[in-house]
Amino acid sequence: MSFLTSLFGRKTSAPIARDRLQILLAHERAGEGQSELIAKLQEEILEVIKRHISVDQDKVQIKMDRGAGVSMLEIDIEVPEAKPAAKAD
Amino acid sequence: MAKVLVVTSGKGGVGKTTSTAALGAALAQTGKNVVVVDFDVGLRNLDLVMGAERRVVFDLINVVQGDAKLAQALIRDKRVETLSILPASQTRDKDALTPEGVARVIEELREKFDWVICDSPAGIERGAQLAMYHADQAVVVTNPEVSSVRDSDRIIGMLDSTTERAKKGEKIDKHLLLTRYDPSRAARGEMLRTEDVLEILSIPLLGIIPESEEVLRASNLGMPVTLSNPTSAPSRAYFEAVRRLEGETLDVSVPTERKGLFDWLFKRSVA
């Protein structure tokens, strides 16, 4: 089988399906609590940042990557440019 | 002691109704008193698959609401005398099913039959919840495909939390029925293997129903496949599944079609 796959240079898809399912279901079984936690984290982190700088909602990008061992919540905030006056030397 | 079995899946189109008809007929063919109950209100199809569509007078909702007696709504199968069907309503609203009414009908069915097999609607809503609520056992019908496996996982979670047994702290027996399985594609790594699905869902395997032309032929004819062609590969798998439901321990294999030269030639000529 591995000979055949290497011959045609195409990976079999079933193992990929199995791995994707295992990761997805591990998270889904962890239940509602976890997805609420992520939403809460996101909300509170933004709140703290807003206290110090004005954040444009359109300039906030939130990405989620759920892995087998670790999940990553990535919050990318574009901080507004400093005023031209401050730049003058 | 009657057993209530729900055939469920979450995802639609995986073979719940086909499997309900086949398992029900197979149990009845071994002499058990069986009723198959269609819970798919609004989209009933069990009557059609079983070839009883022209004999429906009253349905589950009429009985639930007290407009008809249970005996009036039950349709006796013409081929297997120990098999009956309780159809769903085609026209009524699905909210017409009340938990109290369903409880009363199931109780009455328990007294009359050895097996009460409930064909669940797709989804995880009210209809599916009502279909599984009184179950002692569940058959989770799953295709070797990612969306079906995911939905089955959800349904297994519901079986363990929202059923009457779960609420009483009792166990509900869950069985996996893998349908539309293609052993050669699985061997080539193109389809999830049985072991993959079992490892992910971790419930015991009731049977593997191979993808087969016989299943469509059976529904065309309005017959459970175990009646239309009892020696076909899917029928043999259903008969074995039924023996496991009855408590026998059997090794699970994937039955294969015995194809002759004629089949092969014919298949090529129409392809």
Side-chain angles (χ1 to χ4, degrees), chain B residues 129-143:
Chain B
Q129 300 247 13
L130 280 171
M132 70 168 65
Y133 190 76
H134 299 281
D136 305 310
Q137 301 193 31
V139 170
V140 179
V141 182
T142 307
N143 291 168

Side-chain angles (χ1 to χ4, degrees), chain B residues 67-85:
Chain B
D67 300 332
K69 290 258 181 287
L70 181 61
Q72 294 175 307
L74 286 172
I75 302 169
R76 179 80 64 89
D77 190 272
K78 285 189 168 165
R79 300 147 301 204
V80 189
E81 60 172 25
T82 54
L83 178 62
S84 296
I85 163 170

